[in-house]
Amino acid sequence: MIGRFATLGVYRELFVFRDFQVCLAGGGLALAGYLWEVFGPVWAWPVLVLYAGSIGLNGGPIIWGAIQGLLERRVNVDELVSLALIACLIQGELLTAAVVAFIMTLGTLIEEATSDSARRSIHELMRVAPRTALLLDGDGQREIAVRDIAPNDLLLVKPGDRIPVDARIVSGASALDESAITGESLPVTKSEGDEVLAGTLNHNGVLRIRAEKVGEDTLLGRVIRLVGEAEQHKPLATRFIDRYAAWFTPVILGLAGLVWYWSGDWSRAVSVLIAGCPCALIMAAPTATVAAVGRLARAGVLVKGGRYLEQASKVDALLFDKTGTLTSGRPRVEEVRADAGCTPEEVLACAACVEQDVSHPLARAVLKAAQYARITVDKATEVVAEVGRGVRAVVRGRHIEVGGAALDTGPGAGAGSLPPDLRTCLETIQARGATPLLVYRDQHPIGVIGVSDTIRSEAAQTMHRLRNLGISHLGILSGDHDRSVRRVAEQLGITWTRAGLKPDQKLEELRRLQEAGHKVMVVGDGINDAPALARANVGVAMGAAGTDVALETADIVLTRDDISRLPLLIRLSRKMLTVIKINVVLGLSFNALAIWGGAAGILGPIQAAVMHNVGAVIVVFSSAALAMGKDDDQEERNAT
């Protein structure tokens, strides 16, 4: 029971009000037995019954936990308390056994209740998920369970309701409260064509939405699942403490035996057994990790495990993808230039047909431009996205390919075949820092589309804060052309850039930095970022705009694409390690002091139990402080 603190996930099963009722009932029986023994008639059997009931209620689960551990060939601290209780029973000290069992159990519940505040924000996420939704079926509507919603279902969301699944608005407009999911405190206005997230609150509009992701595939589902899994990925500090605790029980047993041999006083040996329980030490890292993970989840940063926070604390280099990461991810088409014999509408139509099933921000810009131009988008077949080159497909029997400048310079049919006017247009687009998209039909160039994006409003201040945190190396790894990358870098004060990179080239640049001794964090959002996210010491994906591949590969996800949360992530990861170190010192200090007091006869078994639990509660409060801070930007400004 007590030894289960090494795995905080047991709190879900442990912490119910009934546990406190049983514990207090056991304490009440011990008190009644003591009062009967002092003031009642001289009858032994009622005292024995009351003490036995108290020991059974509070000591029984501890002894049973020790037996289970032994059967599983796993030694934990329950054995120490169990031996102490059994020693008290053998010596006839029933009151001591009952009080020790009560104090240890009550301390366990108090520590658990305190630690549970660290995961409260995660439980809140589970509560915001609605259970039912209104399905639009024909001319009517009917209520169905959220679990029965399928992709492409048309749903109705009324004011005051929560969005049941990740979806896209078909009609209507409203202000949505996304604070529970993204950490954004202000309502966000959404209208036709915008994406909406499961669990967000619809304030004032009637929305018709089409389901896109359901169940665990929604962002809310991933947050709940991945934060739940975060405890399984312990930081190195936790694994070190686990190994240390494994040796702790045999050492304490041996020390208790020596104290008994040296002093001849069984109560001193029992006190050493109780004081030697390393609960505070075992809880040092898990409580701090869960507190930090819960705090970041509330701020819109999803961390998949404690070890990734530990790695984030050591980062001294940050590399960013450009499009959708440092830029807003909402680019727009500025111009469309067609070759002789084609029209701009024809060029845009070909590109939109190929890009309609692609999630990249540039593809969305092309589709939106086609929609505004009222261009019919035909169905494409044999769609293939070649990372670092572009997308190709068959539209009405003709082969269409859309991609960046690499299409003209790289290998393949049609490369180097741009006519002079299209080449001039390509160079002009690049010169002003925009991104060109080349469109080929049957391996012949038919036009160029110029797409521009704006730098995120928070990017410049974020770079400033990262530098103040001691991040010595800020850089951009991008597949876009050099002029566009350098334009963004100059505005953000970044001097290290690498442009025109394919995924394998990004990996090579990343490898060079790591071999030079840097601990590298990579931030990106696309399929072409996935290899770098996996190879980096810490990979961070943009949650709202990111592809599924990037989200699954990354170690950390920014649920609302807010890179201004990166300084908070790094500062909190460093605080977490500091708190773990403080907790370890506190845990060892309380254990050493209590063991010395028990061995010297200063602390009896009951006093040793009290001191043991005081140390554990202090460690838990130390960790819980990580989850208590504010999440607004003012804290970050004060830190810089």
Side-chain angles (χ1 to χ4, degrees):
M1 178 177 178
I2 297 171
R4 287 186 284 177
F5 274 118
T7 305
L8 292 182
V10 300
Y11 291 165
R12 292 190 183 92
E13 295 84 32
L14 274 176
F15 187 48
V16 291
F17 185 65
R18 178 178 171 276
D19 294 328
F20 273 107
Q21 291 178 317
V22 172
C23 177
L24 294 176
L29 290 176
L31 177 61
Y34 173 74
L35 293 176
W36 187 292
E37 187 175 11
V38 175
F39 301 108
V42 188
W43 296 338
W45 67 267
V47 176
L48 291 176
V49 170
L50 290 171
Y51 284 158
S54 176
I55 296 170
L57 286 176
N58 289 328
I62 299 175
I63 296 174
W64 176 243
I67 293 172
Q68 286 182 311
L70 293 175
L71 292 175
E72 296 171 4
R73 298 181 180 180
R74 174 175 48 84
V75 177
N76 60 49
V77 297
D78 287 342
E79 279 77 12
L80 297 178
V81 182
S82 298
L83 287 174
L85 293 176
I86 292 172
C88 290
L89 294 176
I90 293 175
Q91 294 294 324
E93 295 287 343
L94 300 183
L95 176 61
T96 300
V99 173
V100 167
F102 170 71
I103 292 174
M104 297 299 285
T105 302
L106 181 63
T108 298
L109 294 173
I110 292 174
E111 293 153 17
E112 171 222 320
T114 307
S115 294
D116 197 56
S117 65
R119 63 168 72 245
R120 204 160 290 154
S121 60
I122 301 169
H123 291 167
E124 289 172 0
L125 289 176
M126 301 173 78
R127 284 197 293 269
V128 303
R131 296 178 180 272
T132 61
L134 291 176
L135 176 68
L136 293 174
D137 188 6
D139 296 328
Q141 63 186 48
R142 57 188 176 92
E143 188 175 66
I144 64 170
V146 169
R147 63 177 178 271
D148 296 329
I149 297 175
N152 294 319
D153 279 350
L154 191 62
L155 307 170
L156 179 67
V157 183
K158 298 179 180 180
D161 291 345
R162 290 193 179 273
I163 306 294
V165 294
D166 287 0
R168 197 165 298 276
I169 298 176
V170 175
S171 65
S174 182
L176 299 183
D177 180 359
E178 298 182 335
S179 58
I181 310 300
T182 67
E184 174 58 61
S185 57
L186 297 176
V188 180
T189 301
K190 299 278 189 175
S191 58
E192 182 178 342
D194 289 335
E195 183 184 28
V196 292
L197 302 175
T200 56
L201 179 64
N202 178 25
H203 272 303
N204 52 15
V206 177
L207 300 177
R208 284 175 173 80
I209 61 175
R210 190 170 300 281
E212 292 188 343
K213 295 181 180 179
V214 300
E216 290 192 354
D217 292 332
T218 65
L219 179 60
L220 175 62
R222 290 201 300 266
V223 169
I224 294 172
R225 184 181 75 251
L226 293 176
V227 173
E229 292 173 355
E231 295 172 13
Q232 301 173 13
H233 303 282
K234 297 182 179 181
L236 294 175
T238 305
R239 294 197 291 273
F240 166 76
I241 293 171
D242 287 346
R243 290 195 298 269
Y244 182 79
W247 288 95
F248 209 88
T249 298
V251 169
I252 295 300
L253 285 173
L255 184 59
L258 289 175
V259 169
W260 194 3
Y261 174 79
W262 172 69
S263 66
D265 186 350
W266 69 271
S267 67
R268 293 193 184 189
V270 169
S271 298
V272 170
L273 289 175
I274 296 171
C277 293
C279 291
L281 182 64
I282 292 174
M283 296 170 66
T287 53
T289 301
V290 171
V293 168
R295 163 82 178 281
L296 286 168
R298 193 176 68 218
V301 182
L302 173 59
V303 183
K304 296 183 179 180
R307 68 168 177 259
Y308 305 121
L309 271 183
E310 188 172 25
Q311 288 294 327
S313 70
K314 303 173 184 176
V315 164
D316 63 356
L318 253 83
L319 302 182
F320 296 87
D321 176 47
K322 182 182 75 69
T323 304
T325 303
L326 293 177
T327 61
S328 65
R330 293 186 292 271
R332 58 187 178 87
V333 173
E334 287 186 332
E335 68 173 298
V336 180
R337 182 70 60 86
D339 190 24
C342 290
T343 64
E345 291 77 14
E346 193 175 355
V347 172
L348 190 57
C350 288
C353 292
V354 173
E355 299 276 24
Q356 60 184 312
D357 294 321
V358 179
S359 59
H360 195 278
L362 296 180
R364 292 196 290 267
V366 171
L367 289 172
K368 185 169 289 188
Q371 181 183 5
Y372 289 154
R374 298 184 181 279
I375 291 174
T376 301
V377 179
D378 294 323
K379 181 66 176 177
T381 60
E382 301 180 31
V383 180
V384 177
E386 186 176 346
V387 177
R389 180 175 173 85
V391 185
R392 63 179 184 269
V394 176
V395 180
R396 290 189 174 182
R398 309 194 71 171
H399 293 271
I400 309 297
E401 189 166 9
V402 181
L407 284 182
D408 181 56
T409 58
S417 61
L418 278 184
D421 58 337
L422 291 186
R423 187 172 301 281
T424 300
C425 179
L426 171 68
E427 293 172 352
T428 301
I429 292 172
Q430 291 178 326
R432 66 171 181 263
T435 300
L437 292 177
L438 301 180
V439 182
Y440 285 77
R441 184 168 59 191
D442 294 332
Q443 302 178 356
H444 295 290
I446 63 171
V448 180
I449 301 174
V451 184
S452 65
D453 201 357
T454 57
I455 296 175
R456 291 181 181 272
S457 59
E458 71 272 17
Q461 192 174 28
T462 298
M463 298 304 122
H464 174 69
R465 293 175 186 167
L466 290 171
R467 292 187 188 95
N468 287 345
L469 286 171
I471 306 299
S472 60
H473 191 99
L474 296 174
I476 300 177
L477 289 177
S478 178
D480 209 344
H481 64 88
D482 185 61
R483 287 192 183 96
S484 178
V485 173
R486 279 194 281 113
R487 180 179 66 88
V488 172
E490 288 169 1
Q491 294 185 48
L492 299 179
I494 295 175
T495 58
W496 191 94
T497 63
R498 297 293 186 270
L501 300 179
K502 293 183 179 181
D504 58 332
Q505 293 172 320
K506 288 187 177 184
L507 281 179
E508 181 62 22
E509 294 291 344
L510 176 58
R511 183 186 61 80
R512 289 173 184 168
L513 282 176
Q514 290 175 324
E515 289 180 350
H518 288 287
K519 301 294 184 182
V520 185
M521 177 183 290
V522 172
V523 186
D525 72 322
I527 293 176
N528 59 335
D529 299 318
L533 292 174
R535 172 65 186 265
N537 298 93
V538 182
V540 180
M542 309 294 277
T547 63
D548 290 339
V549 174
L551 295 177
E552 292 300 323
T553 306
D555 309 314
I556 298 172
V557 177
L558 304 178
T559 59
R560 64 184 175 103
D561 291 0
D562 187 357
I563 61 173
S564 69
R565 295 302 187 184
L566 291 174
L568 174 65
L569 165 64
I570 292 174
R571 287 192 299 105
L572 198 59
S573 67
R574 293 174 180 176
K575 282 185 180 180
M576 183 195 76
L577 280 190
T578 300
V579 168
I580 289 176
K581 293 174 183 177
I582 292 173
N583 285 348
V584 169
V585 172
L586 287 174
L588 288 174
S589 299
F590 267 93
N591 271 119
L593 188 61
I595 290 171
W596 174 81
I602 300 174
L603 298 178
I606 295 176
Q607 292 90 339
V610 171
M611 189 165 184
H612 160 270
N613 284 293
V614 167
V617 170
I618 289 176
V619 165
V620 170
F621 272 115
S622 171
S623 297
L626 286 171
M628 303 299 181
K630 296 180 180 179
D631 294 325
D632 57 22
D633 292 336
Q634 186 62 44
E635 183 182 351
E636 295 179 32
R637 293 191 187 100
N638 294 339
T640 56

